[in-house]
Amino acid sequence: MTMTAKEFILTLEDVDKTFDGFKAISGLTFYMDVGELRTIIGPNGAGKSTMLDLITGRTRPDRGKIEFGRDTDLTGLNEYQINRLGIGRKFQTPSVYTDHTVFENLLLSLPGTRSVWEALFSRVTRAQRDRIDELLQITRLAGQVGTKAGALAHGQKQRLEIGMLLAQDAKLLLVDEPTAGMTDEETARTGELLLSLAGTHSLIVIEHDMAFVRQIARKVTVLHQGSVLCEGTVDEVQNNEQVVEVYLGRKHDPKRHL
Ligand code: ADP
Ligand code: MG
C-alpha cells in the first residue's frame, strides 16, 4: 500500500535575514500545505513583506532553507526563475497595464506570450479566449472586459491583478495587504475571490484588517520580530497571551487591529 504523506507547498526552516545589522527575519520556520489559504498577521516591521521577498527571490536569506513543493530549493534562484515555477506575487499597489483593456491585460499575462506586440497583433486563439473568459468569471470582471485598466475602480484593479497571476498559472499566490484603500464592498469581494481560489491554489495573504481576516482565515500565523509567534484559528491567536502582550505594548486593540 502506498501512503501519500501530506505535501507542503512551502517550507521555510531556520531562515535569517539581516539588514545593516538589524535582524528582520530571525530563525523563521514555516510550513504550508498544498491548497491552503494562510493568513499572516503581525505588527508593522514584523518581517511579513520581507518573508515574501525571501520566497520570491527579491531578497536572499543569510541562512536557512526555503523550498517550494517537495524539494525545489528556492534560495539559489532569481525572481524570474521563481516566478516561472508558479509563485506569483501581488504587491499592495496594483501593477496593471493602465492603457490596455482588461481583456488585453489578461491576454498579456498568459504563458507563452512574449511581448505586448505579439499579444495584441497576433490572432487570439480559441484556447486563449476560453481561458480569459474563465478568468473574467472568476474575478467578476466580465462586465469590464473592454475597459482600460486605468479606468477601473481600485478593487477591480486589484481583482484584475489577481486574475493576471492566475493567467500566469501561479500555483502559489502571495498577496500583500490586498484590501488597503478598499471600500467594505470591495473588501468583501476580494475575500470571496481569495476563498474561491483556496484548494485549487495555495495562498498566503498578509492582512491587518481583522474583519477581513475573519472573513477569509482558516489558519493564521502571527509574525513578530522576524519569527512565528503563534499559529491557529483567528480566535486562538486573538486570545493568545503573547499575542495580546505584543499588541498591548503598541496600544492596539488586538480584537480589531493586529
Ligand atoms: P512588515 O511587512 O511586517 O511591516 P517588513 O518586512 O517590511 O515588515 O520589514 C521588517 C524590517 O526589515 C523593518 O524594520 C524594515 O525596515 C526592514 N527592511 C525590510 N526590507 C529592507 C531592506 N531592503 N533594506 C533594509 N531594511 C529592510
Ligand atoms: Mg509589509
Side-chain angles (χ1 to χ4, degrees):
M1 191 176 108
T2 341
M3 291 275 289
T4 321
K6 211 167 190 184
E7 208 182 318
F8 292 133
I9 188 80
L10 194 63
T11 303
L12 279 77
E13 280 173 359
D14 275 320
V15 177
D16 286 350
K17 179 66 192 179
T18 303
F19 294 112
D20 306 318
F22 176 77
K23 250 190 172 180
I25 295 291
S26 173
L28 177 60
T29 293
F30 176 90
Y31 305 98
M32 200 175 120
D33 293 331
V34 172
E36 232 193 298
L37 192 179
R38 179 74 63 94
T39 310
I40 299 183
I41 62 174
N44 265 338
K48 304 181 296 295
S49 298
T50 305
M51 179 179 167
L52 299 194
D53 290 343
L54 289 164
I55 296 165
T56 57
R58 193 174 208 225
T59 305
R60 299 215 170 218
D62 303 333
R63 62 179 285 260
K65 181 200 258 191
I66 306 179
E67 281 182 1
F68 180 53
R70 215 175 279 272
D71 51 15
T72 306
D73 176 11
L74 298 182
T75 57
L77 305 181
N78 64 34
E79 276 189 279
Y80 175 75
Q81 293 168 318
I82 290 172
N83 183 254
R84 286 287 300 267
L85 288 173
I87 300 182
R89 177 173 189 177
K90 211 198 93 36
F91 288 91
Q92 247 172 280
T93 33
S95 54
V96 295
Y97 305 95
T98 51
D99 289 337
H100 289 290
T101 65
V102 166
F103 184 90
E104 290 163 348
N105 269 277
L106 291 170
L107 179 62
L108 286 166
S109 304
L110 291 176
T113 310
R114 272 173 221 95
S115 66
V116 175
W117 181 264
E118 184 192 306
L120 301 181
F121 295 97
S122 57
R123 242 170 61 87
V124 178
T125 67
R126 180 61 190 268
Q128 287 175 319
R129 187 169 293 278
D130 288 349
R131 179 64 178 143
I132 291 171
D133 278 342
E134 194 179 16
L135 294 168
L136 289 168
Q137 298 306 321
I138 294 170
T139 54
R140 299 226 239 153
L141 288 170
Q144 286 74 37
V145 60
T147 305
K148 284 201 172 158
L152 294 174
H154 180 62
Q156 293 173 329
K157 251 181 235 163
Q158 302 275 351
R159 294 209 301 282
L160 173 57
E161 209 186 354
I162 292 172
M164 289 163 73
L165 295 183
L166 298 174
Q168 293 164 22
D169 284 336
K171 297 183 196 78
L172 171 63
L173 285 86
L174 310 175
V175 189
D176 202 347
E177 301 197 13
T179 72
M182 278 191 193
T183 64
D184 287 352
E185 200 207 320
E186 286 175 339
T187 299
R189 280 207 177 182
T190 302
E192 283 163 23
L193 170 57
L194 296 174
L195 280 170
S196 77
L197 298 176
T200 53
H201 298 79
S202 308
L203 299 103
I204 293 182
V205 181
I206 294 178
E207 187 51 63
H208 58 80
D209 172 343
M210 285 312 286
F212 181 73
V213 170
R214 230 167 233 295
Q215 182 196 351
I216 64 162
R218 283 94 190 262
K219 189 170 177 181
V220 180
T221 295
V222 184
L223 218 62
H224 177 53
Q225 294 177 348
S227 55
V228 174
L229 184 68
C230 79
E231 287 182 334
T233 64
V234 183
D235 287 324
E236 279 163 5
V237 303
Q238 282 192 322
N239 293 317
N240 178 289
E241 259 177 52
Q242 281 178 294
V243 175
V244 172
E245 250 170 60
V246 164
Y247 287 101
L248 278 182
R250 295 172 174 260
K251 293 202 184 110
H252 271 148
D253 178 356
K255 291 271 186 259
R256 300 183 50 199
H257 210 241
L258 284 186

